[in-house]
Amino acid sequence: MDRTISQTVGLRKPQRGLGFWNSIAPVLGLFFLAPLTAEYLIGYSSETFTEMLVGLLLLAPTYGGAAIIIRESARRTGRGWPTIILLSLAFGIFMAGLIDHSLFDPSFQITELWHDMPNPTYIPALGISYLDALYFVLGHVIWSISAPIAIIETFVPRSRTVPWLGNLGLAIISLLYILASSILCWGIAIDDQFFPSALQMAGTAIVVMALIALAFSVRLEERSIVARRLPKAWVVGTAAFMLLSLPNIIETACEMLGIPSMFMIDWPGFIINILTVGLLAALTWRWSQSRDWSASHTLSLAGGALLTRVWIAFLLVPFDEAMFYDELVQRTVFLLGVVMLLLLAAWKIRAEKKRYEAWV
């Protein structure tokens, strides 16, 4: 199905009677995929599979609930990915600033936690580290919200650009999100004995509200689609994988060559991260304006992001022999799971394309 057809469907009123597989099933899929891509794929935690399943009781309503709310808000108003991205950015700042407080909490400072040294990108006047803020917020934009939405929508081409839930369903998801995020916020505040200042909270709230207002004031997806050369889908996915992986590749290469890599947690590392993400964003924006942009390109973009998350997790496998094999098995299971998910999504796109060609 090409880009033109997708846009036309996206501007229609919500369809009714889509059935279980085109409405409830994708909601459940997004509800559980978002926390997996947000928290578990990267491998920061040493939890067992059983502990992860228990953790989903809290993380699924938090991340999955947010992803569903963001997607439904965009699709109900006839908007597309520019709105989803801006809302994801608002969620990332809201989550890091007002829920888990990772923007301001010293216990979340990555360089202090991993390298036992003062954070070089820490700005005392704001109480945040620019590099940490970039990691936290960007992680939410890409892996907590955007990538899982893109992948799950692939499985339901009939309802890819229309709402999946009615008012009651959306209200239930919203209540679950509020309850779970409140529990998470309270639990983290008690454990870390930290709460942002009133000024920090007010500043965060203002930025979040501004981003939400901007998200619903732009309709960039209605721009005319141009006749522009577009790389094949696998090239788009490879570009996403390489650019998102580049900072880790540089750091790993330095470690292997015996070259000091501390610059990657200083301002040079911040600049490198900004440039790689900015280049990917610019390329994606340019490519997506082509009339040949398809669901395959969207899937490849999301797939490149997920595969980046998975391979980086292998860098975090502990050297402790007692934990090494358990963690290695866990990372391998997630890698195979992601590959299988992407293959199934690609098969779905191909099957839908053949069905459409037969119909026309």
Side-chain angles (χ1 to χ4, degrees):
M1 185 177 291
D2 63 20
R3 170 66 180 268
T4 307
I5 295 173
S6 298
Q7 282 198 327
T8 303
V9 174
L11 298 177
R12 291 205 304 243
K13 293 182 179 180
Q15 299 179 14
R16 301 299 180 187
L18 290 172
F20 176 83
W21 291 111
N22 285 286
S23 57
I24 305 304
V27 168
L28 292 175
L30 185 54
F31 190 72
F32 290 107
L33 180 61
L36 291 175
T37 58
E39 292 287 341
Y40 292 149
L41 287 189
I42 191 60
Y44 288 145
S45 173
S46 60
E47 295 177 338
T48 64
F49 285 115
T50 301
E51 291 170 332
M52 289 181 180
L53 288 175
V54 174
L56 283 178
L57 296 176
L58 184 63
L59 296 180
T62 301
Y63 290 108
I68 292 168
I69 293 169
I70 287 172
R71 185 203 175 274
E72 291 296 293
S73 299
R75 299 312 188 189
R76 281 172 173 237
T77 55
R79 290 173 168 84
W81 278 104
T83 296
I84 291 175
I85 295 296
L86 286 170
L87 290 177
S88 300
L89 182 58
F91 166 76
I93 295 174
F94 178 78
M95 184 73 180
L98 300 179
I99 301 300
D100 64 22
H101 311 143
S102 55
L103 277 181
F104 310 112
D105 189 348
S107 67
F108 277 89
Q109 298 299 318
I110 290 178
T111 48
E112 285 186 350
L113 195 63
W114 291 352
H115 300 279
D116 194 27
M117 62 172 286
N119 195 319
T121 62
Y122 182 75
I123 308 298
L126 298 177
I128 65 173
S129 159
Y130 277 16
L131 184 60
D132 292 350
L134 178 65
Y135 284 150
F136 295 141
V137 175
L138 186 64
H140 289 310
V141 171
I142 297 176
W143 292 285
S144 299
I145 306 297
S146 301
I149 289 177
I151 290 173
I152 294 299
E153 284 190 340
T154 298
F155 286 95
V156 284
R158 182 185 172 196
S159 59
R160 181 183 303 149
T161 56
V162 298
W164 293 334
L165 291 173
N167 292 334
L168 177 60
L170 186 57
I172 293 173
I173 292 295
S174 299
L175 288 175
L176 289 174
Y177 169 73
I178 293 172
L179 177 61
S181 58
S182 298
I183 294 173
L184 186 64
C185 175
W186 183 256
I188 291 176
I190 292 177
D191 288 343
D192 295 342
Q193 293 295 299
F194 174 86
F195 212 77
S197 68
L199 186 60
Q200 288 173 327
M201 295 178 67
T204 301
I206 291 173
V207 173
V208 170
M209 289 187 291
L211 286 170
I212 293 174
L214 180 62
F216 289 108
S217 64
V218 297
R219 300 184 68 93
L220 301 180
E221 58 271 18
E222 291 186 8
R223 286 180 47 170
S224 59
I225 305 303
V226 298
R228 177 180 292 159
R229 291 187 61 184
L230 178 66
K232 292 186 180 296
W234 69 268
V235 176
V236 173
T238 301
F241 177 81
M242 292 303 298
L243 287 172
L244 291 175
S245 298
L246 186 58
N248 292 92
I249 292 174
I250 293 174
E251 187 171 4
T252 302
C254 288
E255 294 290 341
M256 294 177 64
L257 296 173
I259 301 173
S261 62
M262 298 303 293
F263 69 92
M264 287 303 297
I265 59 170
D266 206 331
W267 287 103
F270 175 79
I271 294 172
I272 290 172
N273 277 274
I274 285 289
L275 290 177
T276 55
V277 172
L279 179 57
L280 178 59
L283 288 174
T284 301
W285 174 252
R286 178 175 176 80
W287 289 337
S288 65
Q289 297 308 296
S290 170
R291 65 179 59 172
D292 295 322
W293 182 270
S294 67
S296 295
H297 292 90
T298 302
L299 174 63
S300 293
L301 194 64
L306 289 197
L307 290 174
T308 300
R309 198 78 158 174
V310 171
W311 90 262
I312 291 175
F314 282 93
L315 299 178
L316 305 178
V317 173
F319 291 104
D320 179 68
E321 186 175 350
M323 299 177 60
F324 178 81
Y325 292 106
D326 289 340
E327 295 295 303
L328 186 61
V329 168
Q330 186 183 99
R331 307 296 193 271
T332 303
V333 169
F334 280 130
L335 171 60
L336 294 177
V338 167
V339 171
M340 181 62 68
L341 179 67
L342 295 177
L343 289 175
L344 287 173
W347 173 83
K348 180 66 177 179
I349 289 176
R350 178 169 295 186
E352 183 64 20
K353 182 179 180 180
K354 289 182 178 179
R355 179 183 177 185
Y356 174 76
E357 290 173 348
W359 181 70
V360 296

